[in-house]
Every structure is written in structure tokens, then in C-alpha cells.
Amino acid sequence: MSKTLTHVVGRGHELLAERIRKGQLTVDLTSGNGYDTLMMYRLVGSSGQVIAFDIQPQALQITRQRLLDQGAVVRMRNVDQAPLELLPGVDLVEAGHETLKVFLPAAPQGIIANLGYLPGGDQQLVTRPESTLQALQQSCEWLAPEGRLAVVVYPGHPGGAEEGALVDNFFANLCEANFQVLQLKVVSRPQSPFLYVAEKRD
Ligand SMILES: C[S@@+](CC[C@H](N)C(=O)[O-])C[C@H]1O[C@@H](n2cnc3c(N)ncnc32)[C@H](O)[C@@H]1O
């Protein structure tokens, strides 16, 4: 993990780690190259469960190999297996994260979403405002009490600013009685990724 002050992805990981313990259930809404899924797996350990979504089989295969290399039990899933069982290991789901609630077997303690496109992949296969919003709504609905949701937004690519504005609006309108919300932004670089972390009140 980078020690750079402005590395918001690393800050998101640290803030999730404050709340996630071994044996718990967590979710990665965008598995991509598998770094966030691996981070979640390290937090919950082999007795916990990580459910990771992606629409690209290529991304899920990269993630699978990364997790297998660390000794994780990995299961490949699709919509026919919904809802999933509460079971130690990593479930890699080939489906859009807007279907989150269909798959969840219980309330997750932590959820991460690194939006945008797969680094090194097809930039057309990018997260979209509409489905991102659905995934965030379901995440907040299902998150366990005192659980945290971390979202990294990339405003620099085509469509990223629109998605960022929608995410801004979503978190600005989360009920203060139910959620605490933090935003981290590099003020000197408006095109840089920025982070939201929401914690559900008990
Ligand atoms: C920035 S990458 C994720 C990075 C990843 N978390 C990591 O650690 O490497 C964004 C990913 O979101 C995926 N994606 C786009 N739309 C999606 C959707 N509706 N549901 C799930 N994943 C989606 C893309 O295929 C891409 O792999």
C-alpha cells in the first residue's frame, strides 16, 4: 500500500480495515485486477467470505489467480447461483453489481467499489452512473450496523465527471441519522480520484 498522502485508494483500505474482522462477510463491487478483493480477503481471513462482482470474465480470471496464489478458496459464480450461501472463501460473481441484493446471503461488514474501467483493459467497459447508483443504494440498505462502504471515483475519463456528480449527490443525501459520511479529495488536482467512506450507525 502506498504511503503517499494523496493515495485515496490506500486511505479507503485503511478505513475499511478499522471495522473489518476475521470471519466476517465483505463485498467488492468491482473486482477488476483483484487488488481490492485480495485486500478484503486478508482482512476477513480464510474463515471469512468475500463476494466480488465484475462484468468482465477477464477481470474475474485475473482476480481468481491473484487469490489462488494467496491460498484462498475461490468459487466462480453466476446469476444461476443466487442467492449465495454464507460460506468461507471468495465468490467471484460474473454479474453487474446492480444485482448485489440478489446474491447477498447476509449483511456485509465492509463494501468497496473502485469505479471506472479495468486498468489495461477495454475502456468502454466502464462503470455507469445508473448501475453505480443502484449498487450504492443496495449497499447502504444491506450494510451491517457499524459497517463501512468505501467508494473511489475517477472523474478524469469520459463519463467519469457525470458519475462523480451522481455519487456526490448520493452521499450528500444519505440520511445523517443513519450514516456518517467522509469525503477525501485532492484539492490541488480536481481530476484526481476521490474517496467516500460511509459508516452505518448502530
Ligand atoms: C477500476 S476497475 C476495479 C479495480 C479493482 N477493484 C482492483 O482492485 O483492481 C473497475 C472495474 O469495474 C468493472 N465494472 C464495470 N461495470 C460494472 C458493473 N456494472 N458491475 C460490476 N463491475 C463492473 C469493470 O469491468 C472493471 O473491471
Side-chain angles (χ1 to χ4, degrees), residues 28-37 53-56 59 95-98 114-119 125-128 131 154:
D28 182 356
L29 293 172
T30 55
S31 86
N33 286 319
Y35 295 107
D36 296 324
T37 308
F53 292 81
D54 209 290
I55 53 172
Q56 294 194 63
H97 44 218
E98 60 277 12
N114 229 315
L115 303 177
Y117 56 83
L118 182 67
L125 296 172
V126 66
T127 54
R128 307 273 176 194
S131 43
Y154 295 78

Side-chain angles (χ1 to χ4, degrees), residues 125-199:
L125 296 172
V126 66
T127 54
R128 307 273 176 194
E130 187 95 337
S131 43
T132 296
L133 181 61
Q134 290 175 38
L136 296 184
Q137 284 167 338
Q138 293 173 31
S139 296
C140 287
E141 185 185 330
W142 275 82
L143 198 63
E146 298 191 341
R148 287 184 179 174
L149 163 67
V151 181
V152 180
V153 181
Y154 295 78
H157 63 79
E162 290 76 7
E163 185 175 48
L166 186 137
V167 173
D168 282 340
N169 188 55
F170 174 79
F171 282 110
N173 287 297
L174 262 190
C175 178
E176 166 64 18
N178 297 334
F179 288 91
Q180 304 180 67
V181 182
L182 173 75
Q183 186 197 42
L184 277 181
K185 209 164 200 167
V186 185
V187 292
S188 55
R189 281 188 275 126
Q191 294 297 307
S192 297
F194 56 94
L195 170 72
Y196 278 100
V197 178
E199 180 179 303

Side-chain angles (χ1 to χ4, degrees), residues 60-123:
L60 293 166
Q61 284 304 332
I62 295 169
T63 301
R64 176 176 177 271
Q65 194 55 55
R66 194 176 301 289
L67 273 290
L68 287 175
D69 289 347
Q70 298 302 314
V73 171
V74 181
R75 299 174 289 264
M76 305 305 282
R77 305 293 205 174
N78 60 47
V79 73
D80 297 333
Q81 278 122 14
L84 300 175
E85 288 172 82
L86 202 51
L87 203 61
V90 179
D91 293 282
L92 300 182
V93 182
E94 187 182 337
H97 44 218
E98 60 277 12
T99 61
L100 171 68
K101 66 180 179 187
V102 175
F103 285 91
L104 280 178
Q109 187 64 28
I111 303 177
I112 190 164
N114 229 315
L115 303 177
Y117 56 83
L118 182 67
D122 183 348
Q123 297 191 11

